Amino acid sequence: MKNRLIATGLTKEYPGVKALSAARITLEEGSIHALLGENGAGKSTLVKILTGVHTPDAGTLVVDGTERHFSSPIDAARAGIGVVHQERNVVPLFSVAENITLQDPPSRRGMVDRQRRAEIVRNVLETLEFDVDPATAVSELSVAQIQLVEIGKALALDSRVLILDEPTASLTDNETARLFTVLRRLRDAGTAIVFVSHKLEEVFDLCDRVTILRDGVTVVESEPLANYTQRDIVNLMVGRTLAERNVRRRTVDRSGTPKLAVRDLATELGHTGISFDLYPGEILGLYGLVGAGRSELARSILGISKVTGGEILLNGRPVTIGSMGEALNRHRMGYVTEDRKGEGLFLDMTVRYNIAATIWRRISGWFGVRPRLEEDAAATAVKNLSIKISSDQQLVGQLSGGNQQKVSLSKWLAAKTDVLIIDEPTVGVDVRTKEDFQELILDLADSGLTILLIDSDLPEMINLADRIAVVHDYRLVGVVDNNKNYADVSAAVIRSIHESAVAA
């Protein structure tokens, strides 16, 4: 096969951090290539160099036989390199056609050539087998459809190399299967595809070849994926053999008053008849299919959305919570949101600022926040959670996904919350960081923190939760005692969902 792209010796250093050290990757036409590594391994930096966002300190980049030096993403796009970022990069109010041709709209006499644009968009949609009216506003599309629009933008630029960064993070299983069908079709047409993901099951289902980075260094370059098992890949990413973990079995005292109780709760979002008890030091899981109303329930409990009926009790006393600020400051409740970049963090602010964001009242004096107390809070969090940073003045947006998640969690721990709602704790983090997070959550519960856990990863839910409350169609349809036996618990969870769907 023809090599579409060859990168050798790519090196990039930031203040205090060597992100890449002589990294290399070779992409063949008609191949789907997995780019793997832990958070902070250098994947994002490599992608940014390949797409012209960053310039390497050293190394060469050859595209279709010609050495290239990109000074901007436009240069990379013109060389045939397209990228679909994890964060959506569309204009919601623009149409599908306008978004697909956004980067290089066809023009004639200084005006958009609508006829040419229609032709380009028609060809792109046919290639993707995406049946949508090009005049539809992107705001009306599902997440999976927006993902196809993002791919369409790259195809409109005649991209011969397509890089996808965590493309399935927000997709259902059915949407992921459809995306994979599209990617295989593009591969068969000759496109070289880079697939960046932490979901190894998907990697082995989709990809042909693999490159693995560890600490900025390439440890496996462009080798057939069939040569490796999932355990091999994990060990190469981590740099050591991970031992099989023993399941931690916990005992929760439910003889006293629940820390958090919900009685016959109804919300403006459509929940009805929700009732459960959550005891001190317990991890109660909320599990359900996408769209079941789990996150929406959590946000209603915290006052972000309105409760219209029933009651919420803390330590046996009814409470009314009107906002997230009230939940934190009056009731010591915290919320690690699934959308850490959109809601959980100030990406353009420092690590220190983010960690201290929940405790400004406590560390402020007459003249504002006391720098020493802010610094101490950040230092404690960085040490306790092993957050990898160059300094506490580093911008959070510069951190890897796993370290961002640690910062998102640490601000609630700094606030000494009694009840913590954690939504999708390990989305977008690597294998070792995922295991570290799971151990941390268990340790927090062992220390007495009461946790309501929302998780789409059923094996992870079974590993962590003491009981699992099953949510379907905005109703609680069952509570499963977790004996840590995957077969038994998963069957009980699935049976609760099925019986509810049949009854409906």
Side-chain angles (χ1 to χ4, degrees):
M1 287 186 178
K2 176 182 176 182
N3 290 329
R4 286 289 189 196
L5 182 150
I6 304 173
T8 55
L10 294 182
T11 299
K12 184 66 178 180
E13 190 167 353
Y14 303 106
V17 178
K18 196 163 191 176
L20 284 181
S21 180
R24 59 195 188 276
I25 187 171
T26 299
L27 304 179
E28 296 180 343
E29 67 176 0
S31 177
I32 302 179
H33 196 116
L35 176 59
L36 305 179
E38 293 188 275
N39 290 110
K43 303 187 302 297
S44 295
T45 301
L46 177 57
V47 168
K48 288 175 180 177
I49 289 174
L50 297 182
T51 57
V53 175
H54 290 170
T55 302
D57 299 328
T60 60
L61 183 60
V62 176
V63 182
D64 286 329
T66 302
E67 185 171 344
R68 299 282 188 170
H69 300 276
F70 300 146
S71 59
S72 70
I74 294 176
D75 289 345
R78 288 172 177 166
I81 299 177
V83 60
V84 177
H85 296 286
Q86 184 175 358
E87 295 79 28
R88 304 292 175 257
N89 190 26
V90 294
V91 182
L93 296 181
F94 282 15
S95 69
V96 169
E98 289 168 330
N99 272 279
I100 285 177
T101 58
L102 188 62
Q103 292 173 275
D104 189 19
S107 61
R108 182 181 182 187
R109 297 175 183 175
M111 301 289 288
V112 173
D113 187 340
R114 297 180 182 276
Q115 183 175 348
R116 175 60 182 151
R117 182 173 67 185
E119 181 182 343
I120 292 172
V121 171
R122 183 173 59 254
N123 290 336
V124 167
L125 295 179
E126 286 178 355
T127 298
L128 297 175
E129 293 188 2
F130 184 16
D131 184 16
V132 66
D133 183 348
T136 302
V138 166
S139 60
E140 299 178 18
L141 303 182
S142 68
V143 172
Q145 290 173 320
I146 293 174
Q147 189 78 281
L148 292 178
V149 172
E150 291 275 22
I151 296 174
K153 289 166 60 178
L155 298 183
L157 296 172
D158 193 27
S159 298
R160 297 174 295 283
V161 175
L162 180 61
I163 302 173
L164 298 102
D165 187 3
E166 297 287 351
T168 66
S170 302
L171 302 186
T172 65
D173 290 344
N174 288 339
E175 291 168 340
T176 295
R178 183 183 177 190
L179 174 64
F180 284 8
T181 298
V182 170
L183 296 180
R184 292 186 180 104
R185 191 182 308 123
L186 294 175
R187 173 197 61 190
D188 295 343
T191 304
I193 297 173
V194 178
F195 186 76
V196 184
S197 178
H198 292 301
K199 300 179 179 179
L200 293 185
E201 295 83 1
E202 294 181 358
V203 166
F204 275 83
D205 179 32
L206 179 69
C207 298
D208 308 305
R209 307 187 76 83
V210 61
T211 289
I212 301 174
L213 297 178
R214 186 172 69 240
D215 297 327
V217 177
T218 302
V219 295
V220 171
E221 183 203 355
S222 309
E223 294 190 15
L225 185 59
N227 292 349
Y228 299 92
T229 66
Q230 287 196 34
R231 179 54 56 176
D232 294 334
I233 294 294
V234 170
N235 292 338
L236 285 163
M237 289 166 57
V238 173
R240 61 183 174 85
T241 300
L242 289 180
E244 296 293 335
R245 291 189 306 163
N246 293 322
V247 174
R248 193 190 301 191
R249 300 183 184 278
R250 306 176 64 248
T251 300
V252 176
D253 182 3
R254 300 191 182 95
S255 62
T257 302
K259 186 71 179 179
L260 169 68
V262 170
R263 295 285 179 266
D264 202 27
L265 199 73
T267 75
E268 63 177 344
L269 302 176
H271 299 92
T272 57
I274 302 288
S275 297
F276 64 79
D277 293 324
L278 177 55
Y279 289 85
E282 183 177 22
I283 302 174
L284 177 66
L286 279 184
Y287 184 81
L289 303 178
V290 173
R294 301 164 304 159
S295 299
E296 292 82 358
L297 175 59
R299 295 169 75 88
S300 298
I301 292 171
L302 292 166
I304 300 172
S305 298
K306 186 177 180 180
V307 170
T308 57
E311 61 180 355
I312 299 170
L313 300 94
L314 285 171
N315 299 311
R317 297 182 178 180
V319 297
T320 300
I321 304 174
S323 68
M324 186 65 243
E326 191 175 327
L328 172 63
N329 296 316
R330 291 187 60 184
H331 304 297
R332 298 180 67 179
M333 300 176 70
Y335 179 39
V336 182
T337 173
E338 176 185 11
D339 183 10
R340 61 174 177 262
K341 293 188 177 183
E343 294 181 334
L345 297 167
F346 302 102
L347 296 179
D348 57 350
M349 302 300 289
T350 65
V351 171
R352 183 195 297 186
Y353 180 94
N354 274 271
I355 291 173
T358 57
I359 58 172
W360 284 333
R361 289 186 178 186
R362 195 171 79 212
I363 64 174
S364 293
W366 287 102
F367 303 102
V369 173
R370 298 174 183 174
R372 174 59 64 183
L373 296 180
E374 185 182 40
E375 182 181 357
D376 289 346
T380 299
V382 168
K383 178 182 179 181
N384 290 346
L385 274 69
S386 300
I387 305 173
K388 294 181 180 179
I389 56 173
S390 57
S391 78
D392 66 8
Q393 292 301 300
Q394 186 175 4
L395 300 182
V396 167
Q398 296 175 346
L399 302 181
S400 66
N403 284 303
Q404 286 181 353
Q405 185 73 328
K406 289 180 179 180
V407 172
S408 182
L409 173 62
S410 68
K411 70 179 185 181
W412 300 109
L413 300 183
K416 301 186 186 306
T417 51
D418 290 333
V419 177
L420 187 60
I421 299 177
I422 306 177
D423 196 348
E424 301 291 0
T426 62
V427 166
V429 302
D430 61 75
V431 175
R432 181 161 58 179
T433 303
K434 183 172 184 174
E435 293 191 355
D436 289 346
F437 261 101
Q438 292 177 2
E439 291 298 321
L440 176 60
I441 290 170
L442 290 167
D443 288 343
L444 291 172
D446 286 345
S447 70
L449 184 64
T450 304
I451 298 173
L452 184 63
L453 177 71
I454 303 167
D455 205 328
S456 297
D457 185 340
L458 187 53
E460 179 171 78
M461 176 72 80
I462 293 172
N463 183 50
L464 294 176
D466 301 301
R467 293 180 298 150
I468 300 173
V470 183
V471 181
H472 178 71
D473 196 21
Y474 286 69
R475 294 175 296 114
L476 197 154
V477 297
V479 177
V480 177
D481 287 326
N482 186 5
N483 64 7
K484 303 296 182 176
N485 181 295
Y486 179 79
D488 291 346
V489 178
S490 60
V493 168
I494 293 170
R495 183 166 57 251
S496 294
I497 296 173
H498 176 70
E499 289 175 351
S500 173
V502 170

